[in-house]
Amino acid sequence: MPRLVMKFGGTSVANVERIKNVAQHVKREVEAGYDVAVVVSAMSGKTNELVAWCKEAALAVSGDPVYDQAEYDTVVASGEQVTSGLLALLLNKMGIPARSWQGWQIPLYGDDAHGSARITGIDGAGILKGFAERKEVAVVAGFQGVHKETGRIVTLGRGGSDTSAVAIAAGLKADRCDIYTDVDGVYTTDPRIVAKAQRLDRVSFEEMLELASAGAKVLQVRSVEVAMVHNVRTFVRSSFDDPNNPKPGTLICGEEEIVESQVVTGIAYSKDEAQITLRNVPDKPGVAAAVFAPLADANVVVDMIVQNVSPDGKTTDITFTVPSADYARAMAVLAKEKETIGYPSIEGAQDVAKISAIGVGMRSHAGVAAKAFKALADRGINIRAITTSEIKFSVLIDQAYTELAVRTLHSLYGLDAA
Ligand code: ASP
Ligand code: MG
């Protein structure tokens, strides 16, 4: 029998009525002859509520909001337990054999980085046995696994049920993985900003990885990494389509499957960035290490880095970006290192945004980014920092210009729908 993994996100399982709709989608695929594993998220808003309860509980005892991460995982994993049970219950009532599987029951193993564990292995034997002996649909609670050595429940980071789904597809050697969400595919940019954004029929793993890392929220970044490594053909499609006549959505696949490719495939943006500038840092060997090593030790991921050539050979400015969530921590680390690094002043800005253009065509075309710099300048948008890679370039700008910059680049690269 061909095998299929179907994943449904929070809005697709938001209430019993929506879960019943999911069951109709599953029924269609079972009747088409697939052995099906379904991965579900928690009902939309549920995980946020559970996270808030953990904070509330910690603060109920002391002013310190820090709490035990293993217990956090126990609490937040419960949202998926509820939806997996409800979907299996509904399927059974509809006459389709099904059972729920919690992460520890499969088992899906993770490391012990509680709150953002990485998957270390999956034993699909129980699920496969259910397929073979009872034609039983496996309804898997996404987002959660178990740490083998301690037996504790772990979760895979926010948005992690995408990664559960792709990893299970790889583990079960499924023919494909369908990720159902509230949009009907991956778009050239956020359709809420650009009405002329277009749905892509296909996008390569590498481009999707860059799009997701640059802020496109449709898939968790790790899920795309897993899909790429294991070559899992993954579709992003809508659970709001008619269950009896759904559209295929966007296929994320290897580059060799993409026949026609644009120079730029998509524009992503992120407002979750902050900029830090160290002024008049001594221009001598070892300074970059003095700045960035302590940040790395504090687990702050630095993205863009700009260092000027010093005019006098003595001092220079270093500008870089960090995730907004880590901004305060980064500033505290740098304050502690002030003497060692030897900078007289520091500046920070949180009202910035990063705009990225992505496309495998950039490998073979010159001047792609240069065109953008001109177009942004023509609109009076100042560029604070630039980074480029083989298939992406990003610019850091004032956050107030985010929408204008996204629209400008979207039409510049011919992505607007006719
Ligand atoms: N329920 C989890 C979250 O909200 C996991 C997921 O939905 O993918 O982050
Ligand atoms: Mg999600």
Side-chain angles (χ1 to χ4, degrees):
M1 280 290 190
R3 276 176 212 149
L4 178 62
V5 172
M6 307 171 77
K7 183 257 166 178
F8 293 87
T11 48
S12 304
V13 295
N15 52 47
V16 170
E17 200 48 46
R18 297 291 307 146
I19 300 176
K20 191 175 148 213
N21 171 70
V22 166
Q24 312 280 3
H25 281 280
V26 174
K27 182 166 181 266
R28 178 191 71 240
E29 302 294 359
V30 169
E31 285 171 355
Y34 282 101
D35 282 333
V36 178
V38 197
V39 176
V40 287
S41 289
M43 292 180 184
S44 56
K46 187 40 100 180
T47 310
N48 289 342
E49 183 184 35
L50 296 168
V51 172
W53 283 348
C54 291
K55 291 206 180 107
E56 193 186 325
L59 290 169
V61 175
S62 76
D64 183 358
V66 175
Y67 46 73
D68 183 337
Q69 288 290 306
E71 299 309 347
Y72 162 92
D73 278 346
T74 304
V75 174
V76 299
S78 66
E80 276 72 9
Q81 175 158 345
V82 172
T83 46
S84 61
L86 286 173
L87 177 58
L89 182 157
L90 272 159
L91 286 166
N92 278 317
K93 280 218 54 135
M94 285 163 61
I96 300 165
R99 71 153 277 191
S100 61
W101 292 89
Q102 305 312 297
W104 61 270
Q105 293 172 320
I106 298 173
L108 182 151
Y109 295 115
D111 63 19
D112 64 351
H114 283 284
S116 60
R118 282 188 174 271
I119 297 175
T120 53
I122 295 173
D123 181 353
I127 290 177
L128 292 175
K129 197 159 173 249
F131 288 166
E133 293 178 1
R134 296 179 293 283
K135 288 227 52 63
E136 181 181 77
V137 173
V139 185
V140 174
F143 183 49
Q144 48 161 281
V146 62
H147 180 239
K148 196 175 195 171
E149 289 70 21
T150 56
R152 303 295 313 257
I153 292 172
V154 296
T155 62
L156 308 177
R158 297 305 306 271
S161 42
D162 292 336
T163 305
S164 308
V166 175
I168 286 168
L172 298 180
K173 299 195 168 36
D175 296 68
R176 60 171 213 270
C177 180
D178 287 352
I179 308 249
Y180 287 82
T181 174
D182 49 10
V183 289
D184 60 357
V186 179
Y187 277 73
T188 48
T189 194
D190 186 343
R192 286 167 303 184
I193 290 191
V194 182
K196 290 181 172 174
Q198 303 184 63
R199 194 182 55 75
L200 295 159
D201 283 334
R202 290 177 179 216
V203 58
S204 70
F205 290 125
E206 226 184 314
E207 288 171 321
M208 192 63 230
L209 191 56
E210 294 282 14
L211 282 167
S213 311
K217 295 207 162 62
V218 63
L219 289 175
Q220 198 200 33
V221 175
R222 274 188 198 169
S223 70
V224 187
E225 284 169 5
V226 176
M228 184 156 92
V229 169
H230 297 281
N231 201 17
V232 178
R233 300 177 92 241
T234 302
F235 285 83
V236 173
R237 53 195 302 190
S238 173
S239 73
F240 289 81
D241 282 352
D242 176 359
N244 295 313
N245 191 20
K247 295 192 283 294
T250 299
L251 170 62
I252 304 160
C253 58
E255 240 176 82
E256 64 287 351
E257 283 197 64
I258 296 172
V259 269
E260 228 181 309
S261 104
Q262 304 272 350
V263 176
V264 171
T265 304
I267 312 292
Y269 67 92
S270 164
K271 294 182 179 175
D272 305 326
E273 312 277 323
Q275 175 187 333
I276 297 174
T277 300
L278 299 175
R279 296 274 181 217
N280 301 313
V281 181
D283 192 17
K284 59 174 195 217
V287 165
V291 174
F292 297 115
L295 289 171
D297 290 343
N299 265 323
V300 175
V301 179
V302 173
D303 180 18
M304 311 173 104
I305 302 178
V306 182
Q307 181 178 341
N308 290 332
V309 176
S310 87
D312 55 2
K314 293 195 185 95
T315 65
T316 183
D317 295 345
I318 300 180
T319 293
F320 54 92
T321 62
V322 299
S324 310
D326 296 340
Y327 176 72
R329 206 147 43 90
M331 290 299 256
V333 169
L334 293 165
K336 233 177 83 199
E337 301 291 326
K338 187 166 194 240
E339 296 301 307
T340 325
I341 302 168
Y343 65 86
S345 70
I346 185 167
E347 287 160 27
Q350 289 184 272
D351 52 351
V352 294
K354 185 176 71 173
I355 317 294
S356 306
I358 289 125
V360 288
M362 280 188 210
R363 282 200 203 109
S364 47
H365 286 78
V368 180
K371 249 172 102 176
F373 305 153
K374 165 108 186 20
L376 294 172
D378 288 348
R379 305 253 175 338
I381 301 174
N382 184 42
I383 299 174
R384 293 162 166 258
I386 301 168
T387 52
T388 61
S389 74
E390 217 189 354
I391 66 161
K392 179 184 84 174
F393 72 84
S394 306
V395 293
L396 192 73
I397 60 168
D398 289 350
Q399 203 174 92
Y401 294 111
T402 308
E403 283 77 11
L404 179 60
V406 170
R407 269 189 227 116
T408 301
L409 298 190
H410 195 266
S411 50
L412 179 69
Y413 294 113
L415 298 174
D416 287 353

